Amino acid sequence: GYLDEQFIQLEELQDDANPNFVQEIVTLFYTDSTRLIQNIELTLNSRPINFSKLDDYMHQFKGSSSSIGAKKVTSECAVFRQYCAAGNAEACSNNMRVPCKSDANGDILAFTRTSSFL
Amino acid sequence: MNVSSVKGSMSISSSTSAWKAGDTISDQFPAGLRVLVVDDDPTCLMILEKMLIACLYKVTKCNRAETALSKLRENKNGYDIVLSDVHMPDMDGFKLLEHIGLEMDLPVIMMSADDGKQVVMKGVTHGACDYLIKPVRIEALKNIWQHVVRKRKNEWKEFEQSGSVEEGDRQPKQSDDADYSSSVNEGNWKGSKRRKDEEEETDERDDTSTLKKPRVVWSVELHQQFVAAVNQLGIDKAVPKKILELMNVPGLTRENVASHLQKYRLYLRRLSGVSQHQSNLSTIISAQDPTFGSLSSLSGLDLQTLAATGQLPAQSLARLQAAGLGRASAKSGIPITLVDQRNIFSFENPKLRFGEGQQQHMTNKQQVNLLHGIPTTMEPKQLVSLRHAAQSVGNMNMQVPPHGAQSSQNNPLLMQMGQQQQQQQQQSRGQILVDSTINHAPRLSSMGQPILSNGMATNVSSRNGIPENIRAPGYSQTPSMLNFPMNHASELPGNCFPLGSTPGVSNLTSKGDFQEDVNSEIKGSGGFMPSYDVFNDLNQHKPQSWELQNVGIAFDSSQHSNSLQGNLDLTQSALGQQGFSSGQMNGHNRSAAVASKAMFSTGDVKELGSAQNVNQHLNNLLVDNTIRVKSERVCDTSPANIFPDHFGQDDLMSALLKQQESVASSENEFDFDGYSMNNIPVWKMVSSHCEYHVLLVFFEAYQGQIIGEVSKIRFCMICKGAHAEF
């Protein structure tokens, strides 16, 4: 339940010409999101917290994750953004753990490994 | 129009707009569409690229807006459409949008994970052709070519109108003023519209193919010159010729100026008060170019938005309303409509108001009918409502489903219901019964309890539902009522109601605790509810759960159906047919339900609702096979008729019978164990072809006791036979 139909679409995009498309995408996502997450952490740890920036990052993250179909991450981001909007620093800090270390990522990773065999 | 076909337009536009260096338009349009995609997110970018390639487009990707702009400028005609993200680090997507619109007048599609209304609106006002929400699906990308065509179409028109001179690649100044965009869009929109209409301005273009004049691109610079000239001349005196002279721009035709002036004027009028220069400039510029584009995109977006927001809510609203109405109507009297949810609601409302008018329900013949209508869907909800309602049984009747409100009818209704719609109805009926029971509760109170206990108790075991019913009626007043359910054991499938002398009682007893509950129920609600349930059960068998539930609900609401619950259980089981599991009733108003059920099933219906009703029902019921509250113990066989599926009926019946025995059955006497009701008719066993009739019998009996004699059976709601006349 971590990936939605968007991911299916990605899978469909993969073909003989691009056998590793999905894998590429996911890898890319991971790389990108890692960077993004680092930024987010940084922002979170700074004082005072720059919520608008945080929101921006979250928006990006949300966009990325939704593009690859990681819906859980996407929804977590949405929630996170609400906290940002409310200026709820604590909630942000607490919830940051969620998207970053969510199983979604792990799940995707696993999936990638599988698809690499395709 | 020049564009006779897509291809045609393509070629023309490409030549006219001078976008394409070569005129080699792909014949497989939209394949080969040259797309420039800009997004800072590499993941998205890659995915988009892949998708676009899959659409057979030619893709160029950039991850920075500046890169994109420079690419565009290098090769003005190198792209057909631009896809841009909204949130980008180096430049805002909307800004990029403006630039592109001003300089190259390409269709631009915005993308974002953000689907907020403001953002989308911003895209619209800035002239975006479309706005896609991430994640972008490939299907959405397959359609983007439409924007290209549309734009070219519009441009072509504009071009025609504006004249032949191609201002082409004037170095457009970056309009870093965001203000431009909005006004630009507006202006464009207006302008282009105007342009289209201005045929007189255009040079005659007889042959589209020969039109190779590039459009005049009113750059910021140009426009400023224009505006300066206009101001110099005075807006009133500004005539194209003079403006042209003042501007002294080579290559600019009078026609160009004229059309531009027109747009400008329009824009001024529209923005009276707004700074002219800026707005005009942008307006003009945009007017020429993206006007149409904005227009289309605007409408498109608007429509989408509206559709999304407006329609959906409307639809849902409608649905809700319908649903709500449905319910309401159900109440009022949806004839024979299933006691569906709606009914439940309506049902609920009237809810059994115990004490309200036991009579109420009883009296309604209609209700009886209603019962029929009442879909067996007297779902648990209904039951619940019933319970809560604790309203007079009468109410219940009315409420009870479909029939809507014939409070008094409850009983009969219930009865009917049961019969008619077998399972569903039963449920509803149960409710009705419950209601009526409840309503009657007051009445029953006096009698119910004792009676119920008698018959119910025993019966309960077997019948689940029935016993309970009996109770209810028993205590409140309709011992007979109660008995009915029980008594109707014969009727009731499997309900071994002690239809005999003390139908109610016996029933109650069988139900066991039912009686007690019944009393309580009756007090509160009128206790009849249960009878209904029972009744229903009897009739329907099917709505087992329903019935029970109904009963339960009824009872509960009305009373506290402790005992009732037990009864209900019985009823339920008895009713079993419907699948009532004693468990079901147990929970809730089982007792009530049972009571009601019992009551109903055995013809408590009558009691519940109004004596009349019940009588009717009972009559009907009884009509069939000598439905009569007699000391017939029809525990086993008869019920079969009624409740084909009653599982417990037999047991109940037997229980009831026992009860009856003990109770001292006498015709039309509700003898509940330990319950001595003065005016409670004794429930007797009756045999009937159906539960309904059995109930009717009881009802009748009860009626006789309570409200009068039942003259005769005139029409059986459920069996569509004769029912009692009061």
Side-chain angles (χ1 to χ4, degrees):
Chain A
Y2 288 117
L3 300 171
D4 60 15
E5 52 281 353
Q6 175 73 8
F7 196 80
I8 310 288
Q9 282 211 357
L10 292 189
E11 284 191 294
E12 286 168 5
L13 283 176
Q14 181 164 299
D15 54 17
D16 295 335
N18 302 70
N20 296 323
F21 175 65
V22 177
Q23 191 180 12
E24 285 174 21
I25 291 284
V26 177
T27 312
L28 201 52
F29 172 73
Y30 272 119
T31 320
D32 194 39
S33 60
T34 312
R35 174 188 63 84
L36 205 52
I37 289 168
Q38 282 174 359
N39 283 342
I40 293 172
E41 298 256 9
L42 254 152
T43 319
L44 264 180
N45 292 333
S46 70
R47 291 289 177 275
I49 296 181
N50 187 342
F51 282 111
S52 66
K53 210 166 167 198
L54 207 52
D55 190 65
D56 271 349
Y57 285 137
M58 266 304 143
H59 179 78
Q60 285 183 42
F61 196 31
K62 186 176 165 210
S64 297
S65 56
S66 66
S67 292
I68 69 160
K71 62 180 178 182
K72 192 162 193 299
V73 180
T74 308
S75 54
E76 297 286 355
C77 285
V79 173
F80 193 94
R81 287 187 80 200
Q82 285 176 11
Y83 292 132
C84 286
N88 191 339
E90 205 173 307
C92 286
S93 308
N94 294 339
N95 285 283
M96 193 52 208
R97 309 296 145 222
V98 182
C100 295
K101 293 151 190 175
S102 75
D103 295 336
N105 291 341
D107 196 8
I108 298 169
L109 198 53
F111 198 93
T112 309
R113 292 207 202 94
T114 318
S115 57
S116 66
F117 290 108
L118 298 175
Chain B
M1 253 248 4
N2 4 321
V3 182
S4 49
S5 65
V6 170
K7 285 196 203 167
S9 61
M10 288 283 300
S11 32
I12 291 174
S13 28
S14 57
S15 48
T16 52
S17 58
W19 277 347
K20 220 168 175 313
D23 299 50
T24 53
I25 299 291
S26 167
D27 282 342
Q28 301 100 11
F29 184 83
L33 198 70
R34 294 157 306 158
V35 184
L36 177 68
V37 58
V38 190
D39 196 333
D40 63 317
D41 183 353
T43 315
C44 284
L45 201 58
M46 201 163 160
I47 294 175
L48 284 169
E49 187 195 16
K50 191 77 171 57
M51 286 186 177
L52 289 166
I53 290 174
C55 296
L56 304 178
Y57 297 151
K58 285 214 202 130
V59 186
T60 314
K61 53 178 188 185
C62 312
N63 65 350
R64 295 196 62 237
E66 291 294 346
T67 324
L69 263 181
S70 56
K71 281 202 176 156
L72 283 170
R73 285 175 193 148
E74 287 167 25
N75 191 356
K76 280 243 159 113
N77 300 324
Y79 303 97
D80 298 317
I81 190 167
V82 180
L83 258 61
S84 172
D85 185 33
V86 169
H87 291 85
M88 288 192 289
D90 58 337
M91 190 195 297
D92 184 37
F94 294 119
K95 224 174 203 184
L96 178 64
L97 166 63
E98 285 172 31
H99 285 315
I100 296 175
L102 283 174
E103 302 178 26
M104 300 117 210
D105 190 29
L106 284 173
V108 182
I109 295 178
M110 306 303 295
M111 304 178 290
S112 182
D114 193 352
D115 58 351
K117 188 177 155 203
Q118 281 86 11
V119 188
V120 178
M121 181 61 83
K122 215 175 161 194
V124 167
T125 53
H126 284 53
C129 289
D130 204 351
Y131 192 106
L132 304 176
I133 307 291
K134 290 186 180 172
V136 180
R137 296 182 337 277
I138 193 168
E139 297 85 51
L141 293 176
K142 283 204 177 123
N143 267 349
I144 60 175
W145 58 266
Q146 62 174 298
H147 303 291
V148 178
V149 175
R150 195 178 289 118
K151 211 170 216 349
R152 292 192 178 173
K153 221 167 91 134
N154 296 336
E155 282 177 3
W156 179 243
K157 274 193 177 173
E158 276 193 20
F159 184 68
E160 278 191 331
Q161 297 174 3
S162 65
S164 52
V165 176
E166 174 201 2
E167 287 306 314
D169 313 295
R170 284 169 175 271
Q171 285 307 320
K173 284 250 168 79
Q174 304 275 345
S175 54
D176 30 18
D177 189 352
D179 297 341
Y180 277 150
S181 45
S182 35
S183 51
V184 164
N185 293 334
E186 293 170 350
N188 290 344
W189 178 84
K190 231 186 185 304
S192 53
K193 219 170 188 294
R194 268 290 145 183
R195 255 182 181 269
K196 272 190 171 175
D197 300 337
E198 299 171 3
E199 287 298 341
E200 68 277 13
E201 292 273 347
T202 66
D203 291 329
E204 288 303 319
R205 298 226 170 270
D206 36 24
D207 189 351
T208 55
S209 55
T210 58
L211 276 182
K212 298 228 169 177
K213 301 177 189 161
R215 293 187 28 189
V216 176
V217 178
W218 281 87
S219 65
V220 177
E221 221 179 37
L222 197 61
H223 183 70
Q224 272 174 352
Q225 281 180 282
F226 170 85
V227 173
V230 169
N231 291 339
Q232 198 176 327
L233 292 168
I235 190 66
D236 297 332
K237 286 213 175 140
V239 283
K241 204 141 189 270
K242 292 210 179 133
I243 297 174
L244 190 62
E245 288 166 13
L246 272 177
M247 285 175 73
N248 198 18
V249 171
L252 197 62
T253 67
R254 193 204 70 84
E255 286 82 11
N256 296 138
V257 175
S259 55
H260 195 78
L261 179 65
Q262 225 176 18
K263 290 186 194 171
Y264 183 69
R265 285 214 183 104
L266 281 168
Y267 184 75
L268 287 180
R269 253 177 253 142
R270 209 165 49 79
L271 300 176
S272 52
V274 178
S275 158
Q276 291 188 354
H277 291 287
Q278 300 284 335
S279 43
N280 291 339
L281 181 61
S282 49
T283 308
I284 302 289
I285 294 177
S286 48
Q288 290 190 6
D289 317 348
T291 315
F292 294 107
S294 341
L295 184 57
S296 42
S297 57
L298 187 72
S299 12
L301 286 173
D302 287 343
L303 285 176
Q304 289 168 16
T305 317
L306 289 174
T309 54
Q311 291 173 9
L312 291 180
Q315 291 171 6
S316 48
L317 191 63
R319 271 182 242 123
L320 289 172
Q321 286 175 356
L325 288 175
R327 299 218 200 111
S329 53
K331 271 206 293 198
S332 49
I334 296 180
I336 318 208
T337 43
L338 303 173
V339 183
D340 43 31
Q341 303 293 332
R342 312 229 199 117
N343 295 330
I344 297 178
F345 286 95
S346 55
F347 196 74
E348 290 179 341
N349 300 333
K351 294 273 177 102
L352 315 171
R353 283 180 290 238
F354 290 100
E356 269 198 7
Q358 310 151 357
Q359 302 296 332
Q360 299 173 4
H361 30 266
M362 298 300 284
T363 47
N364 302 332
K365 293 185 186 180
Q366 294 178 353
Q367 294 193 348
V368 175
N369 292 324
L370 290 176
L371 281 174
H372 286 295
I374 300 175
T376 51
T377 58
M378 289 271 307
E379 278 122 53
K381 285 191 196 173
Q382 293 182 345
L383 290 171
V384 176
S385 56
L386 290 173
R387 281 188 293 191
H388 302 310
Q391 294 157 6
S392 53
V393 180
N395 295 328
M396 290 216 18
N397 289 329
M398 314 243 317
Q399 308 178 357
V400 170
H403 305 312
Q406 314 219 352
S407 48
S408 50
Q409 296 284 343
N410 288 336
N411 292 331
L413 288 176
L414 288 174
M415 292 171 49
Q416 293 181 356
M417 293 187 10
Q419 295 195 348
Q420 313 225 334
Q421 321 213 346
Q422 309 191 336
Q423 301 182 355
Q424 294 177 343
Q425 286 189 347
Q426 297 214 339
Q427 294 187 352
S428 50
R429 286 188 308 168
Q431 292 190 350
I432 300 181
L433 288 172
V434 177
D435 289 334
S436 43
T437 320
I438 297 181
N439 294 329
H440 294 292
R443 296 192 296 172
L444 290 178
S445 49
S446 54
M447 20 186 302
Q449 306 245 335
I451 300 177
L452 291 176
S453 50
N454 297 338
M456 310 280 271
T458 31
N459 291 332
V460 174
S461 55
S462 55
R463 301 212 287 204
N464 300 343
I466 301 184
E468 294 183 336
N469 294 337
I470 300 190
R471 292 211 309 199
Y475 60 80
S476 55
Q477 353 174 315
T478 53
S480 52
M481 296 272 301
L482 293 173
N483 292 332
F484 273 140
M486 310 296 280
N487 292 334
H488 289 300
S490 56
E491 298 288 340
L492 301 172
N495 286 329
C496 299
F497 287 118
L499 294 178
S501 53
T502 59
V505 178
S506 49
N507 293 335
L508 294 174
T509 51
S510 57
K511 303 248 175 120
D513 31 345
F514 184 84
Q515 295 177 358
E516 300 161 7
D517 293 343
V518 175
N519 289 327
S520 56
E521 287 187 355
I522 295 180
K523 297 179 213 165
S525 53
F528 275 100
M529 305 208 311
S531 43
Y532 281 116
D533 292 335
V534 174
F535 183 73
N536 293 322
D537 274 346
L538 293 174
N539 296 325
Q540 296 293 332
H541 304 309
K542 278 101 179 256
Q544 302 155 354
S545 54
W546 167 80
E547 283 192 274
L548 289 176
Q549 294 171 346
N550 295 331
V551 175
I553 296 175
F555 284 110
D556 287 343
S557 50
S558 52
Q559 335 255 329
H560 334 285
S561 46
N562 304 329
S563 48
L564 282 178
Q565 294 195 346
N567 292 333
L568 287 178
D569 290 331
L570 288 176
T571 337
Q572 290 182 348
S573 53
L575 299 179
Q577 352 170 332
Q578 325 206 333
F580 281 121
S581 39
S582 43
Q584 297 174 356
M585 297 300 287
N586 293 329
H588 359 248
N589 312 302
R590 292 279 283 274
S591 34
V594 173
S596 52
K597 280 197 172 168
M599 304 209 309
F600 293 118
S601 44
T602 54
D604 284 339
V605 174
K606 286 197 207 168
E607 296 186 341
L608 294 179
S610 40
Q612 299 168 9
N613 297 333
V614 173
N615 287 336
Q616 291 175 5
H617 294 293
L618 285 176
N619 290 333
N620 295 327
L621 288 177
L622 297 173
V623 158
D624 198 331
N625 305 319
T626 66
I627 300 174
R628 228 154 316 169
V629 184
K630 308 272 181 196
S631 47
E632 304 171 7
R633 303 289 170 113
V634 188
C635 284
D636 31 79
T637 55
S638 1
N641 301 331
I642 303 174
F643 303 99
D645 315 331
H646 254 331
F647 42 77
Q649 298 236 338
D650 291 320
D651 300 336
L652 284 173
M653 283 306 290
S654 47
L656 285 171
L657 288 173
K658 288 182 195 169
Q659 302 275 344
Q660 289 184 353
E661 307 280 18
S662 57
V663 174
S665 54
S666 51
E667 285 202 352
N668 297 338
E669 290 178 9
F670 294 100
D671 284 354
F672 299 92
D673 276 340
Y675 186 90
S676 53
M677 297 190 13
N678 299 334
N679 297 328
I680 298 172
V682 174
W683 288 94
K684 304 181 196 254
M685 292 290 293
V686 300
S687 59
S688 166
H689 73 290
C690 69
E691 174 191 13
Y692 175 76
H693 284 116
V694 170
L695 286 176
L696 276 182
V697 170
F698 282 100
F699 185 81
E700 180 182 6
Y702 172 73
Q703 290 288 347
Q705 292 282 335
I706 303 301
I707 65 179
E709 302 287 336
V710 175
S711 56
K712 68 177 178 190
I713 293 180
R714 222 177 38 187
F715 175 71
C716 165
M717 301 298 221
I718 295 183
C719 300
K720 302 276 175 40
H723 62 241
E725 262 182 348
F726 302 97

